[in-house]
Amino acid sequence: MDGRFLNRVAVSVLISVVAMGGALVAVRSIVPDTAPAAPVFRLPDLRAVSIEPYMPRASLAHGTLLAGRICAQCHGFALGSEGNAGPVLAGVVGRNIATLPGYAYSAALRQHAVQIWDDQKLSDWLMAPARYAPGTRMSFAGLSDPQDRADVISYLHTLHTPAPTPITGAP
Ligand code: HEC
């Protein structure tokens, strides 16, 4: 082992160290090692909105339209229209949560069964089902506009049993 060989080893070690350091600096400059100040994606805040002031202004016509366009993809509205992905919504207002006989609810929603669907709970649920009952099988992102929720809830109010209002006018 002569001096020149040791020299070469020393130089190559030096080069590797410099290269690694350079790579680290480069990576640091691309990927900041601090968390971003605010999360990029925010779920809606469930405590946020009281639905009460929106109910008197609710449009039944618009609620009927939204229900026909969106909710009808998974729900029947009249008793006897079982067999969809979601439970029949006839009589849902005032009913205990997740208690329609014959429908297999998720454990996530059944946890709420001691409570009754009123306007505020329906609003909270429809704003963000996955926040209201994490693990729910209702794979629907939610209605972010409180007036839309009030409109749909006013439609749900018409779904008395045994004679719910049929959906009309939905395109
Ligand atoms: C992609 C399908 C889908 C869509 C769209 C959908 N739902 Fe649901 N919904 C479900 C399923 C599935 C459940 C049962 C959830 C569970 O057991 O976790 C459910 C449960 C519910 C319940 C609870 C019923 C009960 O008996 O306790 C209500 C109320 C409800 N949905 C209302 C609506 C309304 C109003 C809309 C339209 C704005 C809507 N859903 C849109 C699939 C859907």
Side-chain angles (χ1 to χ4, degrees):
M1 225 184 270
D2 60 2
R4 273 170 48 203
F5 176 75
L6 285 177
N7 228 350
R8 271 196 217 135
V9 171
V11 167
S12 51
V13 166
L14 192 68
I15 289 172
S16 325
V17 168
V18 170
M20 268 165 24
L24 201 65
V25 169
V27 166
R28 280 265 167 83
S29 67
I30 299 166
V31 185
D33 59 359
T34 52
V40 180
F41 176 69
R42 268 178 193 282
L43 284 165
D45 188 346
L46 276 187
R47 290 162 305 170
V49 190
S50 165
I51 202 64
E52 208 183 329
Y54 295 91
M55 291 310 293
R57 281 182 272 142
S59 157
L60 178 57
H62 188 235
T64 306
L65 192 82
L66 288 177
R69 274 193 193 150
I70 304 170
C71 322
Q73 292 172 27
C74 302
H75 290 280
F77 298 113
L79 288 180
S81 58
E82 289 82 7
N84 295 295
V88 169
L89 293 179
V92 74
V93 182
R95 187 164 76 202
N96 274 78
I97 294 176
T99 55
L100 183 73
Y103 182 82
Y105 293 91
S106 66
L109 199 57
R110 272 190 278 119
Q111 284 181 359
H112 295 258
V114 288
Q115 296 177 317
I116 284 174
W117 283 126
D118 58 17
D119 292 349
Q120 188 59 50
K121 290 200 184 64
L122 283 165
S123 171
D124 295 346
W125 163 248
L126 294 176
M127 178 160 75
R131 279 290 291 276
Y132 189 90
T136 176
R137 286 190 293 103
M138 175 150 141
S139 46
F140 170 60
L143 293 171
S144 55
D145 183 338
Q147 194 59 62
D148 283 349
R149 295 197 299 276
D151 295 354
V152 168
I153 291 165
S154 76
Y155 172 70
L156 295 179
H157 273 274
T158 70
L159 301 178
H160 299 302
T161 46
T165 306
I167 287 274
T168 52

